[in-house]
Amino acid sequence: MRPAILNPLFADITVLTGVGPKIAALITRAAGPRIVDLLLTPPTGLVDRTFQPKVADAPEGRIVTLEITVDRHEAPPKGRRLPYKIICSDETGFLTLVFFHARADYLIKQLPEGARRLVSGKVEDFNGARQMTHPDYIADPEKPGDMPLHEAVYPLTAGLSAAVMRKAAAQAVARAPALDEWQEPNWFAKHHWKNWKDAIETVHAPSAQEELSLLSPARQRLAYDELLANQLALALIRKARVKTKGRAIKGDGKLIAIAKKALPFSLTGAQTEALKEIFADMRSNERMVRLLQGDVGSGKTIVAFFAMLGAIEAGAQAALMAPTEILARQHMESLSELAAATGVRMDILTGRDKGAARTEKLTRLKNGEIDIMMGTHALFQEGVAFKDLALAVIDEQHRFGVRQRIALTQKGPKPDLLVMTATPIPRTLALTAYGDMEHSRITEKPPGRKPVDTRAIPMNRLDEMIAAVKRAAAEGNQAYWVCPLVEESDIIDLTAAEERFESLKAVLGDRVGLVHGRMSGPDKDAVMEKFYRGDLSVLIATTVIEVGVNAPNATIMIIEHAERFGLAQLHQLRGRVGRGDKQSSCILLYKPPLGETAKARLKVLRDTEDGFVIAEEDLRLRGAGDFLGAAQSGFPRFRLADIAVHGELLAAARDDATMIIDRDPELRTPRGEALRTLLYLFSRDDAVKLLSAG
Ligand code: ADP
Ligand code: MG
C-alpha cells in the first residue's frame, strides 16, 4: 500500500484552488491529472523582473520593471474599443500605460494620480511615445513583495494560461511533504545535494537561467531519483522473474549441425556470439528473457531458427510470432529449405485459418506433430495449445504489447522467450526500457552487402525523381515512396500521399500502389503482397512501411520530407532496399532550407549504415524528448531526467539498484522503506507488489 504520507500528492488536481473541471482538463494535458504530476513537471522557462532601467533606457520588447509617478488619467474613452490611458513619468521621460476594456474605478484605485508605482511588463514605442499595455504587475514601491521578481514558466497547452498553471504548480509544491532520504548516504553527501522537498522547491522556483539547467544540482538530484526508481523497478521485475524457475533446455546439437551444413553461407561472428548467449540461457534452469537487437538484414531470422532447433532437439516445440501475416509467411518461406533439410515440421497459423482446417492444425499442434508454429496474433488466442512449448520467439517485438508477450508465453510451461527488434536502441535507452531483459546485439552484417547510395535532394527536384523512378520501373526495378508523416494529423498525411499517388499514376499507370494507416490490415496486406510479388513498381506509403518485409527487387527508397523523420526511422526505411545484389539508392527529399541539426542528421545517415551508431547520434543530436517522440511507443518517458544529458546518472542508478537488491532484496531496512516510497512516488506500484508477494 502506498505510504500515507504520499496520499495528498495522489489527489486529483481539482482539489487545488482555481482548478475546476475545465482547467483540470487543460493541466492534465500539460502535466497530468494528479498533484504529483505537477510536482514532477519542472518549469522550462523563467520570467525575470529584476531589470529596472529608467523609462528612457527601457529596451523595447524585453520585460522591465519601471518605477514611475502617476501624472494623470486621460478622460475615459468614448468608444468601447478605445483604450484607457494613464500618463506616467520618471526623471528621464514619459510612459503611457494603456488598458483596453478597463474599469476606470479599478484603475483609479490602483494607480491614483500623484502616486509612485512599480509597473512590470514590456515597453513599446507607439508613434514616438513609450507605452506599456496591460502591465503584468502593478505594485507599491513600499511593498515590493507584491511583485515576484522571478516567475517559473511551465509547459502549457492551448487555452491554459501561464499564470493559472503557475498558481496550480505553486500549490502542488506547497503540499510536498518532507520524505525520508532514499539516496545512498555517501553518494548523497558527495554531490552536496539537497533533500527531496528542498530540491522540488528549488526546481520550481528558479531565479536565474542556469537554475533551469538540467545540470543544476537540484535538477540532477530529482533526475537521479527518477532514474533510480526506474532502475530499481526493473531490477525487482527481473529478480522476480529469475526466481520463477524455468526449465533447462539442452539439445544434442544434431539438428543444428545438419542445418549448418545445409546453409549456403556460414554464420557471421555476431550471429554465432548471439547464439552462444541464447543457448547458455536456454541450458540454465532460469527462464530466458532475451532481447536480440540487429539492423534490418543482419540475419536475426536464422539465429531464431537455430535457437528453435535447440528446443526441438530437446524434444519440445517452438513458436515464432510476427506482427503481420505477410511477414509470418516470409519467415515460413525463407526457412522452408532448412526445415526440410533438418526434418523439422513447420506450420503457420494466422487469422486466415478458419473452420476445419484450423481445427486440424490445432490438433496436430496439440499432439506434437508440429515442431515450429509460425504465426501472427492468432498464435496466442484461446484454443491454441501446444504439446510442449519450450521457446517462444517474437519478431519485431515493439509491435506487440506486454500483455500479448505474456499471453504467448502462457502457452507452455514457463517457456524461454526471445524477442527480436530491428530498431537499434541507444545503450542508455535500452537500459531504461529493457533493463529487465538480457541483451544480445548483432552488430555485423552478412558479408557482401552493397552499401545503399544515400543522397539528400531538395524537394524542388521532385520531377526529376519521378522521371528516375519511371526509368527504374521500366528496367524492372521497384521503388518505395514514403510520404510525409505529420504526427498531428493523419488526414493531412493521407492527402499528401493520395496526391503523390495520383501524380505517379499519371506516369506509371496501375503499377503504383498505396498503403496508409487508415486501411484495414487485410487491405494493407493485399497491396504489400502485390508489391512483394512484383505486380507493382512503386509502393507509396504514409506510415512506416511494414517492418521486416523483404522485397529483394526493391532498389529505390524515396522519402519525402525526410527532415521530419527520426534518424532511426530513416535508417529503418533505408533498410528496405539494398537486400538483393543490385546497387540500391535512398533519396532523402527535403524542403529547403535545412537547419543545422537537420543537416547534421542527414550527414550521419549518409556516413554510416550502422544502426547502433545512428541511434546514438540521433539521441545526441535531438535529445531524449524528441528522440522518444519519434521512436516507437513503449519507451519510458522521463519528466525530470533526460537520458541524453544524464547518461552518467543513469549508469550510477543502475549500479545502485543492483547493490540495493543484493543487500536488501525485500527493501526492509530504513533505506529500503524510503526506497519503497520512491517507487510509489513514481507510480511504480507494479514493482512494489512483487515485494510483498515475497
Ligand atoms: P533480419 O535481421 O532483418 O530479420 P534476415 O534474417 O531476414 O534479417 O536476413 C536477411 C538476409 O540475410 C536473408 O536473406 C538471410 O538469408 C541472409 N543471411 C543471414 N545470415 C547470413 C550470413 N551469415 N551470411 C549471408 N547471408 C545471410
Ligand atoms: Mg527480420
Side-chain angles (χ1 to χ4, degrees):
M1 265 241 301
R2 182 192 300 140
I5 193 165
L6 290 183
N7 283 342
L9 300 186
F10 282 82
D12 208 274
I13 43 177
T14 48
V15 304
L16 300 175
T17 312
V19 182
K22 249 191 180 154
I23 300 279
L26 297 173
I27 295 182
T28 298
R29 210 171 308 147
R34 300 155 313 174
I35 294 192
V36 68
D37 296 315
L38 280 170
L39 275 188
L40 301 181
T41 303
T44 48
L46 169 71
V47 178
D48 183 345
R49 302 191 190 280
T50 54
F51 182 42
Q52 302 201 6
K54 294 290 169 199
V55 168
D57 304 329
E60 253 191 296
R62 180 172 160 193
I63 290 195
V64 293
T65 302
L66 304 174
E67 185 169 343
I68 42 86
T69 304
V70 181
D71 297 333
R72 64 187 169 83
H73 287 228
E74 283 193 350
K78 294 272 179 319
R80 278 196 42 79
R81 298 263 188 89
L82 295 172
Y84 187 105
K85 290 185 176 178
I86 303 172
I87 312 299
C88 311
S89 62
D90 70 2
E91 65 273 24
T92 66
F94 288 102
L95 176 76
T96 308
L97 298 179
V98 179
F99 299 87
F100 290 90
H101 306 293
R103 279 185 24 224
D105 53 343
Y106 170 78
L107 290 176
I108 289 167
K109 214 170 124 206
Q110 287 285 307
L111 295 153
E113 288 182 2
R116 297 204 327 125
R117 286 288 180 266
L118 287 171
V119 292
S120 189
K122 282 185 189 159
V123 170
E124 317 136 301
D125 275 322
F126 186 70
N127 290 342
R130 322 224 78 193
Q131 68 175 39
M132 184 183 282
T133 308
H134 292 274
D136 301 337
Y137 284 93
I138 300 169
D140 184 338
E142 304 299 316
K143 295 187 231 158
D146 289 354
M147 190 182 76
L149 290 179
H150 299 101
E151 283 177 319
V153 178
Y154 289 90
L156 298 174
T157 187
L160 180 61
S161 87
V164 166
M165 179 69 174
R166 190 181 303 129
K167 268 186 208 139
Q171 293 178 66
V173 171
R175 288 168 191 240
L179 298 173
D180 290 337
E181 188 55 63
W182 47 71
Q183 294 203 10
E184 198 277 322
N186 292 325
W187 164 263
F188 182 63
K190 187 181 120 197
H191 286 85
H192 308 288
W193 283 343
K194 298 176 174 179
N195 68 48
W196 179 78
K197 182 179 190 321
D198 283 352
I200 283 284
E201 286 168 356
T202 305
V203 159
H204 283 274
S207 60
Q209 208 59 36
E210 55 277 15
E211 290 175 25
L212 293 169
S213 158
L214 295 174
L215 295 172
S216 78
R219 180 63 181 267
Q220 290 211 46
R221 190 236 135 100
L222 298 178
Y224 187 77
D225 291 341
E226 188 169 40
L227 293 168
L228 182 59
N230 167 269
Q231 290 298 299
L232 187 58
L234 288 171
L236 288 169
I237 292 166
R238 182 160 154 171
K239 193 192 66 165
R241 201 188 56 233
V242 167
K243 266 200 322 208
T244 60
K245 281 262 161 358
R247 46 201 285 214
I249 301 291
K250 269 190 215 114
D252 56 13
K254 279 194 187 133
L255 292 180
I256 289 173
I258 299 172
K260 275 195 181 155
K261 277 216 192 85
L263 263 190
F265 47 77
S266 47
L267 296 181
T268 62
Q271 285 172 317
T272 309
E273 189 55 36
L275 267 176
K276 226 165 79 189
E277 292 167 349
I278 292 166
F279 284 137
D281 279 1
M282 287 172 66
R283 269 197 304 275
S284 90
N285 56 11
E286 285 174 2
R287 259 183 103 171
M288 171 170 86
V289 178
R290 185 170 280 277
L291 173 69
L292 178 62
Q293 289 188 69
D295 261 338
V296 172
S298 61
K300 295 183 294 294
T301 315
I302 293 290
V303 171
F305 184 72
F306 276 57
M308 292 192 286
L309 287 184
I312 296 162
E313 283 174 356
Q317 292 168 296
L320 173 69
M321 182 163 76
T324 64
E325 163 128 21
I326 176 165
L327 203 48
R329 291 197 186 283
Q330 279 198 352
H331 283 323
M332 183 85 179
E333 276 173 43
S334 69
L335 294 174
S336 61
E337 273 178 42
L338 281 179
T342 49
V344 163
R345 296 160 299 178
M346 203 160 65
D347 214 323
I348 182 166
L349 185 73
T350 74
R352 266 192 226 173
D353 292 295
K354 302 244 156 69
R358 178 171 185 267
T359 312
E360 188 265 341
K361 260 186 208 178
L362 293 183
T363 309
R364 282 192 291 126
L365 184 66
K366 182 106 201 289
N367 294 339
E369 292 159 37
I370 293 172
D371 302 311
I372 296 180
M373 193 56 138
M374 304 271 187
T376 56
H377 294 74
L379 277 182
F380 59 76
Q381 307 302 332
E382 244 177 271
V384 179
F386 288 75
K387 176 158 185 258
D388 182 15
L389 177 66
L391 173 65
V393 183
I394 300 182
D395 194 17
E396 308 300 349
Q397 70 93 29
H398 59 275
R399 304 279 304 267
F400 295 97
V402 174
R403 277 212 341 270
Q404 303 175 317
R405 213 152 81 192
I406 292 171
L408 183 61
T409 53
Q410 280 168 347
K411 297 289 178 191
K414 304 198 174 118
D416 287 327
L417 178 65
L418 179 67
V419 300
M420 310 200 286
T421 178
T423 311
I425 303 158
R427 268 181 204 285
T428 44
L429 197 51
L431 269 187
T432 60
Y434 303 116
D436 59 334
M437 299 185 195
E438 308 297 331
H439 296 209
S440 296
R441 297 176 140 212
I442 303 187
T443 48
E444 169 191 10
K445 288 232 175 95
R449 292 278 157 82
K450 286 208 180 100
V452 177
D453 180 15
T454 304
R455 295 180 195 197
I457 289 181
M459 278 294 268
N460 49 26
R461 289 172 57 192
L462 185 67
D463 289 346
E464 257 173 76
M465 286 304 109
I466 294 183
V469 166
K470 188 180 174 188
R471 274 197 307 277
E475 289 162 16
N477 292 316
Q478 291 175 290
Y480 293 100
W481 191 299
V482 179
C483 281
L485 187 125
V486 188
E487 243 172 274
E488 300 291 325
S489 152
D490 42 346
I491 297 183
I492 296 175
D493 287 359
L494 193 50
T495 327
E498 276 169 346
E499 270 170 26
R500 189 61 63 235
F501 180 53
E502 292 306 324
S503 61
L504 281 163
K505 233 171 45 181
V507 179
L508 287 158
D510 59 2
R511 293 195 56 84
V512 186
L514 170 66
V515 284
H516 58 77
R518 298 206 155 186
M519 285 163 76
S520 73
D523 285 354
K524 235 193 283 187
D525 272 5
V527 180
M528 301 285 306
E529 185 100 23
K530 271 176 90 178
F531 184 69
Y532 173 50
R533 301 259 166 249
D535 298 340
L536 297 175
S537 296
V538 181
L539 181 68
I540 299 178
T542 49
T543 44
V544 174
I545 296 161
E546 296 301 322
V547 252
V549 171
N550 198 358
N553 267 329
T555 54
I556 302 176
M557 168 63 67
I558 294 178
I559 305 169
E560 274 189 51
H561 284 294
E563 76 278 0
R564 291 185 190 165
F565 287 85
L567 262 193
Q569 278 178 312
L570 291 175
H571 172 68
Q572 282 263 327
L573 289 172
R574 178 171 61 179
R576 304 286 127 230
V577 296
R579 301 191 144 206
D581 36 15
K582 289 188 198 163
Q583 175 64 53
S584 296
S585 50
C586 174
I587 308 293
L588 307 169
L589 286 175
Y590 65 88
K591 186 161 180 245
L594 277 187
E596 282 309 312
T597 308
K599 264 189 213 153
R601 293 174 58 224
L602 293 182
K603 180 171 174 343
V604 171
L605 209 62
R606 280 201 309 271
D607 289 351
T608 178
E609 283 196 43
D610 183 331
F612 291 101
V613 173
I614 289 171
E616 295 287 349
E617 276 300 297
D618 199 17
L619 178 60
R620 196 180 62 78
L621 285 169
R622 288 198 297 168
D626 285 348
F627 182 88
L628 293 173
Q632 310 279 352
S633 58
F635 292 114
R637 275 164 196 278
F638 294 116
R639 300 200 261 195
L640 295 153
D642 179 331
I643 53 168
V645 176
H646 298 129
E648 279 175 34
L649 291 182
L650 174 62
R654 181 186 155 88
D655 293 347
D656 200 358
T658 311
M659 202 114 81
I660 292 164
I661 300 287
D662 248 24
R663 294 195 185 153
D664 182 15
E666 289 299 315
L667 302 187
R668 291 282 172 228
T669 63
R671 185 184 175 208
E673 290 292 337
L675 283 163
R676 284 174 186 244
T677 306
L678 171 71
L679 289 170
Y680 280 114
L681 183 64
F682 285 97
S683 300
R684 296 308 305 249
D685 305 27
D686 58 333
V688 193
K689 280 206 187 87
L690 295 172
L691 286 173
S692 28

